[in-house]
Amino acid sequence: MNERLPRECELLIVGAGPAGMAAACAAADHGISVVVIDDNPAPGGQIWRGGPRVNLPPRARALRERFERLPGLRLCSATRVIDAPTPRRLLVEREHDAGVIDYHRLLLCTGARERLLPFPGWTLPGVTGAGGLQALIKGGLTVRGERIAIAGSGPLLLACAATVRAQRGRLVALAEQAPWSELASFTMELWRWPAKLAQAIALASPRYRAASRLIEALGERRLEAVVIESLGERREIACDRLACGFGLVANTELAQLLGCALGERGISVDQHQATSVAGVYAAGECTGPGGSELALIEGRIAGLAAADQYPLAAALSRRRARWQAFAAQLEQHFALDSSRLPPRRATTLVCRCEEVTLGELETHSDWRRAKLASRCGMGACQGRVCAAATAQLFGWPPPPPRPPLSPARIDSLLLGGMKEVQE
């Protein structure tokens, strides 16, 4: 039987990735009672996700071990937030129960998700995100001997390729859309972060091709081949899987529901990682994707600030600035170039849940009109995939979230006193 959900705490942290674990350790060290809720079965987030095929780095193992032994910490795994019914209160749900948790301070470490862009054939079985394929492999998927193509932009492509090679998959294409000039500029800056330079060298692959564009995925019932354009030449490459990476999108739905202001890349925070809402902090990828090093530092600063340890938090500001500079380099050199995105077709599905095509959306001027006319974004994912896609394709601002944040049971919603349910 599951342990009962806590009813209150001094610091409630949403997310048990690197930022959430670092924050919990920093706050608990100063006597704060901490509750961490996470929708995964174990702490670590997406980057340090456990599984039968996972060999976590020493730093991740050390932090997880410390986190799991913290006195005064309560971890609620497989628990998701579905609403914020009143100030300083969250409604959460698990498989068999739900509850309301009152908090004095709240820290959002909600991470980021992959940006999936539609292109011809992207809904074929065998096509996933680059991070999604890594998660499947960590979860036990066998790719030994399979022909795998990887395309898109950013270092995640190289990390995915390394995972494939480690599991004896056959890498048949590794297509990066950024030109060689951008890659060279980025590499020239890596001396400022020696560990990242060493990592880049370790992940290098002879299959890596810059200035390459994914055109389409081909197949009848599942993926059979991809078409990739490089230096003006299009090649059809037979493969069993295609992993795409078009960058990350910060998870800001809960922050928006609480009324937190957003910046260009995620939740807006000050030097103490405090949001625009009193008592609410944010750290890690939800404030702007930047990697695990930045998430760890931001998490520690946020945990210390939530425990009123401001001088200790301020002492970490230079380290945070160093990794923020690295994140800025990534954003600059791996920015998506619209001229190198997969070509559009009117028949390509954008909203998989409601089967809405690109052609249906092109007749509208903004997300709201498109949603009302086509049901785009009204399916199971609640627009988490197609809203980010339309933001990239049409420049439509992402829609504000409405409770519940994810599909929930009626008895769970009644605990939060949702007006719509009561009526």
Side-chain angles (χ1 to χ4, degrees), residues 131-423:
L133 179 58
Q134 284 188 300
L136 288 171
I137 292 174
K138 291 176 181 178
L141 175 70
T142 300
V143 297
R144 186 186 184 97
E146 288 190 352
R147 300 163 300 176
I148 298 176
I150 301 173
S153 189
L156 182 58
L157 304 186
L158 287 170
C160 183
T163 302
V164 168
R165 290 198 303 269
Q167 298 302 318
R168 306 293 181 87
R170 293 170 53 197
L171 188 63
V172 296
L174 180 48
E176 164 62 57
Q177 74 153 226
W180 285 116
S181 58
E182 289 291 343
L183 299 179
S185 298
F186 177 71
T187 305
M188 293 289 286
E189 293 290 335
L190 285 182
W191 63 269
R192 298 160 61 187
W193 304 275
K196 288 298 180 184
L197 178 59
Q199 187 180 39
I201 294 172
L203 293 177
S205 168
R207 293 285 185 183
Y208 199 56
R209 297 289 184 274
S212 297
R213 181 190 188 197
L214 175 63
I215 301 299
E216 63 179 320
L218 304 173
E220 292 296 327
R221 295 187 175 183
R222 65 161 289 121
L223 178 69
E224 297 172 3
V226 295
V227 178
I228 290 177
E229 183 180 82
S230 184
L231 301 175
E233 179 185 353
R234 291 189 178 187
R235 289 194 305 146
E236 182 175 316
I237 303 170
C239 60
D240 303 303
R241 294 186 186 276
L242 167 63
C244 303
F246 296 106
L248 301 175
V249 179
N251 287 324
T252 61
E253 288 80 9
L254 178 54
Q256 290 178 273
L257 195 63
L258 293 165
C260 301
L262 301 185
E264 291 185 0
R265 304 180 63 236
I267 305 169
S268 181
V269 294
D270 66 9
Q271 73 273 24
H272 298 125
Q273 300 295 140
T275 72
S276 61
V277 175
V280 180
Y281 299 78
E285 304 279 90
C286 62
T287 65
S292 60
E293 294 86 356
L294 180 58
L296 287 168
I297 294 294
E298 288 187 348
R300 287 185 62 189
I301 292 173
L304 290 169
D308 294 326
Q309 302 297 317
Y310 295 107
L312 293 176
L316 297 172
S317 59
R318 291 185 63 183
R319 290 176 60 187
R320 177 178 56 189
R322 179 169 179 264
W323 288 109
Q324 284 175 332
F326 177 73
Q329 290 290 323
L330 286 177
E331 183 180 13
Q332 174 186 341
H333 295 295
F334 292 98
L336 293 180
D337 183 339
S338 59
S339 68
R340 292 195 178 93
L341 291 179
R344 304 181 184 188
R345 286 183 188 167
T347 55
T348 301
L349 283 181
V350 175
C351 176
R352 300 178 64 158
C353 300
E354 297 294 335
E355 297 186 343
V356 182
T357 65
L358 185 64
E360 293 175 78
L361 295 176
E362 285 178 328
T363 61
H364 303 288
S365 58
D366 58 42
W367 171 266
R368 186 173 183 276
R369 287 181 172 83
K371 184 176 181 179
L372 290 174
S374 70
R375 291 188 55 81
C376 182
M378 298 178 72
C381 85
Q382 291 290 286
R384 284 175 171 79
V385 174
C386 53
T390 57
Q392 182 70 38
L393 296 174
F394 304 122
W396 294 346
R402 297 179 61 187
L405 293 174
S406 58
R409 298 186 296 270
I410 290 179
D411 58 346
S412 302
L413 300 177
L414 288 172
L415 283 176
M418 284 192 69
K419 182 179 178 182
E420 292 85 350
V421 175
Q422 291 174 328
E423 290 175 344

